[in-house]
Amino acid sequence: MDTAKFEEVFEAKLAKNDFIEPKDWMPENYRKHLIRQVSQHAHSEIVGMLPEGNWITRAPSLRAKLVLLAKVQDEGGHGLYLYTAAESLGISRDEMLNALLTGKAKYSSIFNYPTLTWADIGAIGWLVDGAAIMNQVMLQRSSYGPYSRAMVRICKEESFHQRQGYESITHLAFGTPEQKAMAQDALNRWWFPTLMMFGPPDRESPNSENALKWRIKRETNDQLRQRFVNQTVKQVEYLGLTVPDKHLKWNEAKQGYDFSEPDWDEFKNVIKGNGICNKERLASRNKAHSEGAWVRAAAEAYGKKQPEKEAA
Ligand code: BYC
C-alpha cells in the first residue's frame, strides 16, 4: 500500500473509534506526539513519588503511613505502565529516562511545589489526584490502544488516591482550629498550581489541535479545568473552607463558576525548570537512578542467564 492508502486506513480507524495499535501504520507526527505526551506523563508519575514519599516517615499514624506507602507505590506502577506504553511507539526506556535525568524532558509542573505540612499530603490526594482523574478519564478513550488501556487501570487507582486525600483533608477540616487552619493553608497554596496541571489556556496550547484531531485528547485544557472547578468548589464548601479566589462566582448562564486564571508567567517559569523544587526533584531522581544501578545490572545479568537455564 502507498502512504495515501495507509493514511486512509488510519483515518477510517479514528472515525470508527477503533484503537491504533503498535504494529499499525501511523503518521510520524502522531507517533511523536504520543511519545511526547506519554513519556511526560510517565515522568510525572515517578517524580510525583518524591514530594509524597518524603512524608512516609512522618505520617501521623500507622494507618496513614500504610495508606500513603500504598499510594506512592501505585505511582511507581503507573510510571511502569506508561513507560511500557511509550516503548511500544519505538523509543527506549533509556532514552526517556535520560531525557528526564538531564532536564530535557518535561513532567507535571505541580511537582515543583514544596510539601510543607501533613495537610499538603491530603491536598495532593484530593486536588492533584482529583485533577489527574478529571484529565485521565478522557484519556481512557484515547485513540492509542496501549495508552488507553494503561489509563483504565491508572484511573481505578487514582480514585483510591483521591479518596485518601479527601479523607485526610476532611479529618483536618473538621478537627481542631489549628488543624482546620492547616487545611486552609494547604488549599491556599495548592489551588492555583492544581489549575495549572490542565495545561495552558486553549488560546496558547499548541498541541491541542492535533491531539483533538487524532483523538489523543477528547477535551480541551480549559474544558477540563472548568469541570474540575465546578466539582471541587462543592467539596470545599462541604469542608467549610474557602477557595482562595475572590473572583470565584457562580455563572447561571454557563452553569459553571467564573474563576481567576492562574499566573501563567509562573507556570511558564516552572516548566522552564525554574520552579521552587525543580532542581531538588532532578537531583533526587538522579541520586535514585545511580543508587539503583546495581539492581538494573543484576536484573540484566539474570535475564541473560535465562536461555542457558532453559537449555539445561
Ligand atoms: N506541566 O499544548 P499543550 C499525577 C507543556 S501525574 C508541565 O496544552 P498538551 C500524579 C506541554 O507538555 C499527572 N508541562 O500540551 C502523579 C507542552 O510542552 P511541549 C500528569 C506542561 O500535551 C503522582 C506545552 O506545555 N498527567 O497525576 O496538549 C502523584 C504546551 O501545552 C503542563 C499527565 O501528564 C504541566 N501542567 O496538554 C500524584 C496527563 N501543561 O511538550 C499524582 C497526560 C502543559 O510541547 N498529559 N505543559 O514541550 C496531558 O493530558 C497533556 O499533556 C497536558 C498538556 C494536559 C498536560
Side-chain angles (χ1 to χ4, degrees):
M1 282 203 284
D2 59 17
T3 308
K5 189 72 196 153
F6 279 126
E7 261 166 25
E8 213 176 283
V9 173
F10 173 80
E11 295 295 339
K13 279 194 179 153
L14 289 184
K16 278 199 294 174
N17 270 337
D18 279 355
F19 288 127
I20 308 298
E21 297 295 344
K23 287 189 178 160
D24 292 343
W25 183 91
M26 59 187 85
E28 201 42 36
N29 286 343
Y30 174 85
R31 184 190 302 277
K32 283 194 183 135
H33 188 116
L34 274 165
I35 289 178
R36 177 192 65 82
Q37 177 168 329
V38 181
S39 65
Q40 284 177 10
H41 195 163
H43 300 328
S44 304
E45 299 286 354
I46 63 164
V47 176
M49 296 169 79
L50 297 169
E52 293 186 292
N54 195 24
W55 277 88
I56 292 170
T57 53
R58 289 176 285 164
S61 69
L62 183 59
R63 180 179 180 277
K65 192 191 286 271
L66 281 171
V67 175
L68 182 59
L69 196 58
K71 178 185 190 295
V72 174
Q73 275 182 338
D74 283 352
E75 309 298 0
H78 297 177
L80 188 64
Y81 314 149
L82 290 164
Y83 282 124
T84 308
E87 280 175 314
S88 72
L89 290 154
I91 183 167
S92 73
R93 189 151 332 174
D94 280 349
E95 272 176 273
M96 289 185 272
L97 285 177
N98 189 44
L100 172 66
L101 297 173
T102 54
K104 278 195 212 117
K106 290 193 173 73
Y107 57 86
S108 184
S109 50
I110 194 75
F111 301 118
N112 295 307
Y113 292 84
T115 43
L116 303 181
T117 72
W118 173 250
D120 290 15
I121 299 305
I124 290 183
W126 169 37
L127 300 172
V128 173
D129 287 85
I133 298 172
M134 191 61 78
N135 182 292
Q136 290 169 182
V137 162
M138 102 182 146
L139 295 174
Q140 293 180 103
R141 293 180 298 126
S142 171
S143 58
Y144 187 57
Y147 192 32
S148 161
R149 289 187 286 275
M151 293 319 304
V152 171
R153 180 146 178 195
I154 291 176
C155 279
K156 286 189 183 144
E157 293 174 355
E158 295 289 19
S159 304
F160 147 65
H161 299 170
Q162 199 273 350
R163 293 314 299 170
Q164 70 82 32
Y166 195 60
E167 183 197 72
S168 173
I169 213 86
T170 303
H171 188 80
L172 295 174
F174 291 101
T176 64
E178 289 80 5
Q179 286 176 315
K180 185 170 181 180
M182 269 172 73
Q184 181 64 55
D185 171 59
L187 175 59
N188 292 348
R189 285 180 290 105
W190 289 94
W191 178 257
F192 284 109
T194 302
L195 297 189
M196 294 175 192
M197 285 178 70
F198 295 95
D202 294 351
R203 61 179 185 273
E204 291 172 23
S205 164
N207 299 301
S208 279
E209 191 183 338
N210 278 339
L212 293 167
K213 181 179 82 181
W214 288 323
R215 289 199 300 97
I216 294 171
K217 294 202 304 205
R218 297 253 180 176
E219 287 175 275
T220 71
N221 300 356
D222 286 338
Q223 285 169 335
L224 292 164
R225 192 169 10 251
Q226 177 73 57
R227 182 158 334 123
F228 174 80
V229 171
N230 293 350
Q231 175 182 295
T232 310
V233 169
K234 294 191 189 80
Q235 297 167 352
V236 175
E237 283 168 356
Y238 169 77
L239 294 169
L241 301 177
T242 308
V243 175
D245 178 0
K246 59 181 186 320
H247 296 117
L248 183 83
K249 193 166 177 269
W250 178 255
N251 180 328
E252 192 60 31
K254 76 172 184 188
Q255 286 294 298
Y257 286 91
D258 291 332
F259 56 96
S260 305
E261 291 201 29
D263 178 345
W264 292 119
D265 288 337
E266 177 183 316
F267 169 76
K268 284 177 198 150
N269 203 34
V270 171
I271 65 173
K272 257 195 250 152
N274 303 321
I276 306 174
C277 298
N278 294 61
K279 291 186 180 59
E280 185 185 329
R281 300 290 182 243
L282 271 196
S284 301
R285 278 304 328 154
N286 272 290
K287 183 166 178 280
H289 191 75
S290 55
E291 286 176 358
W294 71 270
V295 180
R296 291 190 297 280
E300 207 172 306
Y302 181 76
K304 278 188 190 141
K305 275 191 88 171
Q306 289 312 293
E308 284 168 35
K309 207 170 148 192
E310 270 167 31

